[in-house]
Amino acid sequence: MTHFLHTADWQIGRQYGQFETDDAAMLAEARFEVVARIAALAAERRVDAVLVAGDVFDTQGVSDRTVRRLFAAMAAYAGPWVMIAGNHDAALADSVWSRAMQLDCIPPNVHVPLGTGVVDLPAINLAVLAAPLTQRHTYEDVTQAFDALDTEPGRIRVGLAHGSVAGRLPDNIDATNPIAPDRAARARLDYLALGDWHGCLSIDERTWYAGTPEQDRFRGNEPGYVLDVRIEAPGAAPAVERLATGRYRWSAWSETLSLPTDAQALAERMAALRAEDVLRLDVQGHVNMETWDALQQAVDRAAAQVRALLPDLSGLKLEPDDTDLAELRASGYVGAVAAHLQALQADAAQSAVAGEALRLLLRFQRESAMPGGAK
């Protein structure tokens, strides 16, 4: 039996510019940490090899230190690794891979083929048919060469590639780097290990995307896994097990509020979030001042307890209720200004500014009415 881990899309060096600096740094660090977890899993499970199906690095321009840290993170597993270039780290003449070789930081147990061919591992009866990308985008199926590649009789034949299986991915993505959906059958592969799609996905029993082992975007396509693959003999169906590796859980919530109870329910959901959560929150609808204040406090509390929170409340309109309006009637002029600001919220170009001005006005009037308030 041949036993290996299949992983892909590590995206080492990825930047998270939409987040606060501290959060972005922690999310970037998590990508090194998951590689260390994969190495530890490989050692614990005593696999014969680890196959990495491209996009090891997020860009060609990662620092030398980042390159060295990546290979250091793999140290817990001393068996063979086979990793290929993807579209983000294509094996150009001058690439992150050529730099890694110049830095002499690729360990001897790590195989990095820079062209299509066979990495033969006779000690574990495995032949890896590798198709690294040598440019970011191609419109030819680089795995077509697998059909004609010969391997030693009796070897387990495993393809390793990075691209899009034509017509089989659930969302519309770029048509570049195509891969034939029946490549495993055409090339007599026992298994085809793919990268590029960031979710864990089976195309057929012999063709799998491992997905990224650490979620990195707001898409619920089952990221955060590596695949444990066992093949008893050439021609046997592979036994594939998903192993959870991700630390952070990314979620995108889109909420529409019309009643105070809606805001209360949302606050309760946010209260259940934990340190491993990364949340993008889009809130629309209309609320009174009291509900707005309560919701803002709930958002602030959630931001303190999760890894990262990206709230967008720009679609939430302030509609003063009777209590709010009673406070404004203390001054005819103030009431007129409030009515004008409320009307301006309907203008998309002025909505955010008008809403914030109305909230400040209501808050000022409320504080002015309190004992010891503003005079």
Side-chain angles (χ1 to χ4, degrees):
M1 180 184 72
T2 299
H3 180 200
F4 58 87
L5 294 185
H6 166 202
T7 180
D9 298 289
W10 291 354
Q11 312 291 149
I12 297 297
R14 177 160 188 175
Q15 301 296 308
Y16 295 90
Q18 72 269 44
F19 296 98
E20 296 291 335
T21 301
D22 290 349
D23 293 330
M26 293 299 293
L27 294 172
E29 187 64 22
R31 312 209 71 77
F32 290 100
E33 293 171 354
V34 77
V35 172
R37 285 197 293 278
I38 292 169
L41 267 176
E44 176 188 332
R45 291 188 164 234
R46 299 183 178 180
V47 301
D48 297 317
V50 180
L51 309 184
V52 190
D55 279 1
V56 174
F57 297 98
D58 191 55
T59 70
Q60 302 283 10
V62 297
S63 69
D64 289 355
R65 179 172 181 267
T66 294
V67 175
R68 293 183 186 279
R69 287 192 66 201
L70 178 275
F71 290 106
M74 298 161 55
Y77 178 66
W81 299 73
V82 183
M83 51 175 52
I84 61 169
N87 58 308
H88 280 251
D89 54 2
L92 310 172
D94 184 13
S95 71
V96 63
W97 298 105
S98 60
R99 185 148 47 93
M101 292 175 182
Q102 292 165 5
L103 293 169
D104 195 26
C105 61
I106 303 178
N109 63 316
V110 179
H111 304 268
V112 184
L114 298 181
T116 300
V118 178
V119 178
D120 193 35
L121 302 170
I124 57 174
N125 195 35
L126 175 63
V128 180
L129 286 66
L133 293 180
T134 56
Q135 58 191 53
R136 184 173 178 87
H137 299 304
T138 178
Y139 293 91
E140 297 180 356
D141 184 348
V142 295
T143 67
Q144 184 174 354
F146 291 173
D147 298 0
L149 288 179
D150 293 326
T151 54
E152 290 292 325
R155 288 278 197 273
I156 300 291
R157 287 168 60 92
V158 173
L160 187 62
H162 190 90
S164 304
V165 175
R168 298 301 296 275
L169 295 181
D171 286 349
N172 293 326
I173 63 172
D174 292 340
T176 55
N177 311 318
I179 295 173
D182 60 348
R183 181 60 61 205
R186 287 192 199 181
R188 309 174 311 284
L189 300 176
D190 296 295
Y191 184 85
L192 178 53
L194 297 177
D196 192 31
W197 181 251
H198 279 213
C200 184
L201 178 67
S202 171
I203 300 299
D204 58 43
E205 69 172 356
R206 298 186 186 275
T207 306
W208 283 76
Y209 283 96
T212 182
E214 180 66 49
Q215 189 169 359
D216 60 354
R217 60 187 68 176
F218 296 103
R219 178 180 286 176
N221 58 354
E222 297 192 85
Y225 295 92
V226 298
L227 297 176
D228 180 300
V229 184
R230 301 169 191 258
I231 305 175
E232 288 290 345
V240 182
E241 179 186 2
R242 302 197 316 175
L243 305 177
T245 54
R247 176 177 179 182
Y248 293 115
R249 179 182 62 182
W250 294 49
S251 304
W253 296 355
S254 181
E255 306 290 332
T256 299
L257 309 182
S258 57
L259 298 170
T261 52
D262 296 335
Q264 182 179 354
L266 176 57
E268 291 172 356
R269 287 181 67 196
M270 286 192 288
L273 295 169
R274 295 295 175 260
E276 294 75 28
D277 283 298
V278 177
L279 176 64
R280 183 177 67 196
L281 178 64
D282 176 24
V283 183
Q284 301 186 25
H286 50 85
V287 295
N288 62 12
M289 189 64 187
E290 182 180 3
T291 302
W292 171 270
D293 286 343
L295 180 61
Q296 187 61 63
Q297 291 173 15
V299 168
D300 292 343
R301 286 193 297 269
Q305 68 194 36
V306 301
R307 175 63 276 157
L309 176 59
L310 297 177
D312 182 359
L313 307 184
S314 62
L316 192 61
K317 303 297 188 293
L318 180 60
E319 291 192 357
D321 61 11
D322 291 342
T323 301
D324 297 328
L325 293 173
E327 293 175 353
L328 291 172
R329 289 189 185 112
S331 167
Y333 174 73
V334 171
V337 171
H340 182 61
L341 290 173
Q342 187 172 355
L344 285 178
Q345 289 185 111
D347 184 339
Q350 304 183 75
S351 177
V353 173
E356 179 62 19
L358 183 55
R359 286 188 289 275
L360 290 173
L361 180 61
L362 282 166
R363 188 170 290 116
F364 176 78
Q365 283 296 106
R366 181 174 296 170
E367 291 173 353
S368 297
M370 296 174 63
K375 303 297 183 183

